[in-house]
Amino acid sequence: MFEIIKSGGWMMWPLMICSIGAMGIVAERFWTLQRKKIMPQDLVLQVWKLHRENRIDEMTLRRLKTSSPLGSIIAAGIANSAHGREMMKESIEDVGRQVTHDLERFLDALGTIAEISPLLGLLGTVFGMIEIFSELLQHGAGDPTVLAGGISVALITTATGLTVAIPSLVFHRYFLRRVDEFVINMEMEALRLIEMMHGEREAVL
């Protein structure tokens, strides 16, 4: 591995940094974007029980807000219950946008890595080809195997750039899709609970 990095030239080091950064972001997002952390399974049921027992107060709302992203969205709706259903819906959507921003943390960086890695690889190859042709101008092309070997070394950065970019792009799209699904489901759960609390929907949990 070290020999491959060494043969690829100095442009391999930025690519290695991109690779390490991408792996770190993917691991962190897998750890953070777990359904049990974003949407605790029994949270809606617990809030519904608290509402039926008339035990939702300011302290309960604060705990609910900090418990999870779903709790934050539900707390926003309940906190504005005195202002009517439309205001509650708007507050849920506002907090949903903030939650979306938080859940998409580091995804812009992952997308940037996916975009620039092939360009860095191509740039490394261009530098390598320039160096090869400079050598040819100075010493001639007496041995074709030297030229072929030089080209293969120059192409290492392109292959490395693509190797970094393809998984980064796949995981970037995957996590964006996962965040979108979480946000839509959380808003639906919050609205469903609000409607149940107002008697507009049967309390089937």
Side-chain angles (χ1 to χ4, degrees), residues 10 17 91 157 169:
W10 64 271
I17 293 173
S91 64
T157 54
L169 180 61

Side-chain angles (χ1 to χ4, degrees), residues 96 99-100 103 178-188:
V99 168
T100 301
L103 295 181
R178 189 168 178 82
V179 168
D180 288 343
E181 289 179 354
F182 276 143
V183 172
I184 291 173
N185 290 334
M186 285 189 291
E187 290 184 355
M188 289 177 60

Side-chain angles (χ1 to χ4, degrees), residues 18-37:
C18 288
S19 176
I20 294 171
M23 288 190 294
I25 292 172
V26 169
E28 190 276 339
R29 288 292 85 188
F30 266 121
W31 174 259
T32 301
L33 297 178
Q34 298 182 56
R35 179 171 290 273
K36 63 181 180 181
K37 293 184 177 181

